[in-house]
Structures are given as C-alpha cells and as structure tokens.
C-alpha cells in the first residue's frame, strides 16, 4: 500500500512482507539512524531484540538513560530509521535488506512493566544476564535506567538482497524522490581526521552502512563497501541507485559482532558525501568507536561501569531536566501529522 506525500499513515496501517517481518523479528544487530540539527545523519548499531508489533505498525529499541546523547537529537526531530541488514548470530533467515522509517516516542523514565516484559527477549537474543550481589550492583544503572523507544512506522523500504541489489519495494508513505544537494559546511568539506587510519579501522569490520537525510527528512540508510581512500576521503561502492547524486552531510558506520553480540566493535563517523555517477567519496569529519573483548563477562562489566559513569554525569549535569524541557518545547512545534509516535 502507498500513501500520498501529504498524508501520514494512521497507526496500524503500514504493511510489509513476511521476509521483512522475519528480519525485524530475528536480526540480532541492526542500525538506528537519526538526524542532526545541521541536516546530517548519525547511524549507530543497536540490538532491538526483535521488538516489532506488526498489527500496530510499530517497532522499538531500548537504550539506557546513561547514554543519552542520541535522545537530544530524537527529541528535536523524531524522524528516525532502522536498517535490518545482518543475519549473523540471530534468528532471521530471509535475505532482504530493509529500512523502516518512523516517528520515535522517547520516554524519559523507565517503565518497570516494559522492562519486565523485555527480560525473556534479552535472554533469547543476548543470553542470560549475570546475577548475584556483585553483578546486581555493577549492572543496576545499565538495566534499571533503561527505556523503550517506540517507533510508529511511516514507511518500509526493502530490497530482495542484503547488499541492496534488486528492485526496491515501498510500503506506507510514498517514496519522496531524490533529496536536493546540500550547501557545503562553513569549515569545508574535506576530511578532518586521519583518513588512512579510519580506512584501516572501518575495513576490518564486516558491516558498513551510510545514512543521509531523505527528501522528506526521514533518514535513509544503505549498505556500502569501503574500497580505498585518497586525499578526498574514503572511496565507497554500493548497489546501483542507492546513493543520490550530489553532495550532502552523511553518517557512516561500520561494525561487527559475535554470538549474543559479544565482541562488539564499531566505528561511527559524521562527514561529507559526494556522489558523481559511479564515484562516491566520503570525507569523515568526526570519528568515534570501540572494540569490546570477546568475553561476555568482561563486556558486561564495562557496560555496567560506563552506565554508572554516564548516569552519575547525567544527574550531576541535570540532563533529565534538560531532556524534559526539550521534549516540551518540541511537542507543540512538530508539523501537522508529525507529532511523537504512539506507543505500542
């Protein structure tokens, strides 16, 4: 089904194929994309543990309030996208690559009921959570301050192959066409970090994706492959027709992971993308990432430690109050039909 550009699908009205549903229910790691105030895009790996309600046309993802940087962006602009692009170590078997675009509803306090409902899903995808007095203390801030972000689906875009090859299928809101090129940033378009180093970091990771703002403001995420580098930036390859001609801000992510998402490694960049015919060059402006050891207990320990540190910082700096104020300011400022998503 399709909708006109001037309308927004009502809750529960967007349909998608069984293959896409298989990916939504079974991918262990996906990629979440959200916009930036400058018109760019950030793409980060997440583990949504199969949170999807097909009847209500919603998906969801969880995050800790201790790691709240992305929440500021999603409260300013609730348009987000989730890319289902990995079949490794999960339960999905279909070969489709799918991008789900929707409106995120960001709660600012945990729901004990929702967290209790999550427990079996977490264990199914990520394995048993360590317990005992020590682990309960270490992981308390990581789990107890976790929220569920519901995303009301507006559009589902899919291709029959995880590499993005094949004919595109669109369900929900009509595909808005090709976005216009953007004006170059004041600081210039060239790389601002060591491109050779970023190239070495990214090409070691199995999954590489790039995200940009679509013509209607929703992020678009597509699979790419970094094939080299030059003084202009990273050289990219992707399936024909996935990247729009011209120049624009874009976010690049690369990641890999093992069974139960142990041994996570990622590299997240923001930068400038230029596409001219078959040539695509990405100039990274910022870069960040980490590599976790392939030992679950060690990874969980550091998750807990970083969450404690982040939560203490959030309380010290009044982050929750700032988020609440931002949510109030933007709730009434959303355009018609573009308010926060209804929860599932």
């Amino acid at each position: 089904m399709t909708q006109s550009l001037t309308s927004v699908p009502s809750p529960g009205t967007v349909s998608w194929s069984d293959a896409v549903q298989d990916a939504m229910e079974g991918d262990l790691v996906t990629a979440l994309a959200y916009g930036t105030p400058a018109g760019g895009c950030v793409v980060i790996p997440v583990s949504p543990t199969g949170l999807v309600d097909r009847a209500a046309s919603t998906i969801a993802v969880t995050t800790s309030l201790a790691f709240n940087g992305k929440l500021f962006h999603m409260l300013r602009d609730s348009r987000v996208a989730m890319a289902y692009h990995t079949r490794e170590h999960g339960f999905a078997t279909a070969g489709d690559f799918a991008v789900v675009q929707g409106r995120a509803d960001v709660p600012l306090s945990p729901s004990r009921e929702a967290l209790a409902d999550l427990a079996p899903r977490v264990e199914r995808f990520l394995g048993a959570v360590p317990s005992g007095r020590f682990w309960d203390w270490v992981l308390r801030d990581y789990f107890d301050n976790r929220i569920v972000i519901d995303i009301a689906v507006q559009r589902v875009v899919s291709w029959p192959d995880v590499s993005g090859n094949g004919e595109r299928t669109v369900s929900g809101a009509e595909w808005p066409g090709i976005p216009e090129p953007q004006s170059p940033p004041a600081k210039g378009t060239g790389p601002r970090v060591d491109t050779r180093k970023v190239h070495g970091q990214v090409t070691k990771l199995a999954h590489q994706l790039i995200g940009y703002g679509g013509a209607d403001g929703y992020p678009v995420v597509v699979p790419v492959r970094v094939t080299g580098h030059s003084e202009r930036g990273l050289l990219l390859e992707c399936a024909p027709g996935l990247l729009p001609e011209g120049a624009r801000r874009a976010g690049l992510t690369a990641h890999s992971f093992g069974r139960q998402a142990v041994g996570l490694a990622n590299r997240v960049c923001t930068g400038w993308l230029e596409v001219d015919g078959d040539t695509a060059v990405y100039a990274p402006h910022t870069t960040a990432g980490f590599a976790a050891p392939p030992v679950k207990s060690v990874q969980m320990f550091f998750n807990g430690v970083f969450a404690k540190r982040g939560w203490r910082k959030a309380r010290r700096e009044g982050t929750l109050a700032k988020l609440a104020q931002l949510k109030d300011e933007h709730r009434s400022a959303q355009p018609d039909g573009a308010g926060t998503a209804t929860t599932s």
Side-chain angles (χ1 to χ4, degrees), residues 237-256:
E237 285 185 356
C238 72
L242 293 189
L243 292 177
E245 288 280 329
R248 68 198 70 253
R249 298 176 187 270
L252 175 74
T253 191
H255 67 99
S256 62

Side-chain angles (χ1 to χ4, degrees), residues 4-344:
S4 70
L5 282 176
T6 57
S7 66
V8 175
S10 302
T13 63
V14 181
S15 62
W16 50 80
S17 69
D18 290 342
V20 169
Q21 177 70 11
D22 178 68
M24 291 177 173
E25 290 180 339
D27 264 2
L28 174 60
V29 178
T30 64
L32 176 67
Y34 52 87
T36 67
C41 187
V42 178
V43 186
I44 59 173
V46 295
S47 293
T49 62
L51 288 169
V52 54
D53 186 335
R54 196 174 190 178
S57 296
T58 61
I59 60 174
V61 65
T62 71
T63 188
S64 172
L65 288 168
F67 310 133
N68 47 60
K70 57 186 169 291
L71 303 183
F72 283 94
H73 291 290
M74 286 190 278
L75 288 173
R76 291 188 182 99
D77 186 342
S78 65
R79 292 172 294 191
V80 300
M82 186 86 78
Y84 295 85
H85 64 291
T86 66
R87 302 294 109 94
E88 296 175 37
H89 309 297
F91 304 99
T93 58
D96 293 43
F97 173 78
V99 178
V100 179
Q101 299 171 324
R103 289 276 178 180
D105 179 20
V106 181
L108 298 181
S109 60
S111 164
R112 300 304 169 196
E113 295 78 10
L115 295 179
D117 290 342
L118 275 176
R121 291 181 175 275
V122 171
E123 186 163 340
R124 179 173 184 250
F125 280 86
L126 305 177
V129 176
S131 60
R133 179 178 295 182
F134 171 76
W135 284 109
D136 291 348
W137 175 79
V138 169
L139 297 174
R140 182 178 61 228
D141 293 317
Y142 182 70
F143 285 116
D144 289 359
N145 296 311
R146 185 159 290 272
I147 58 172
V148 179
I149 300 173
D150 287 296
I151 300 169
V153 177
Q154 303 298 313
R155 180 187 294 121
V156 177
V157 192
S158 63
W159 292 260
D161 185 87
V162 289
S163 64
N165 281 298
E167 184 177 355
R168 180 182 67 202
T169 299
V170 180
S171 299
E174 183 180 343
W175 186 250
I178 300 173
E180 293 292 328
Q182 293 178 334
S183 300
K187 295 181 180 179
T189 62
R192 302 176 193 171
V193 295
D194 187 336
T195 304
R196 180 187 296 273
K197 183 177 180 180
V198 174
H199 173 267
Q201 294 167 330
V202 165
T203 52
K204 292 177 182 178
L205 303 175
H207 305 284
Q208 299 159 26
L209 302 149
I210 201 160
Y212 60 90
D216 59 356
Y218 283 96
V220 179
V221 184
V222 298
V224 296
R225 187 166 70 91
V226 177
T227 60
H229 64 91
S230 70
E231 70 282 353
R232 292 178 58 200
L234 302 174
L235 309 180
L236 308 180
E237 285 185 356
C238 72
L242 293 189
L243 292 177
E245 288 280 329
R248 68 198 70 253
R249 298 176 187 270
L252 175 74
T253 191
H255 67 99
S256 62
F257 57 95
R259 183 175 174 271
Q260 297 181 351
V262 173
L264 289 168
N266 69 37
R267 180 59 42 181
V268 176
C269 303
T270 62
W272 186 253
L273 173 67
E274 295 184 354
V275 179
D276 183 6
D278 295 333
T279 302
V281 182
Y282 181 75
H285 292 171
T286 68
T287 181
F290 67 86
V295 180
K296 182 173 181 177
S297 59
V298 176
Q299 183 169 306
M300 293 298 292
F301 174 79
F302 281 107
N303 284 345
V305 169
F306 293 144
K308 285 184 179 298
R309 184 182 301 171
W311 184 240
R312 288 168 184 164
K313 180 181 179 182
R315 288 186 297 178
R316 183 173 64 251
E317 297 180 354
T319 300
L320 288 185
K322 296 175 184 177
L323 288 168
Q325 180 180 358
L326 185 62
K327 186 170 184 175
D328 289 340
E329 290 173 353
H330 284 262
R331 181 182 289 114
S332 59
Q334 295 284 358
D336 290 344
T340 53
T342 56
T343 59
S344 61

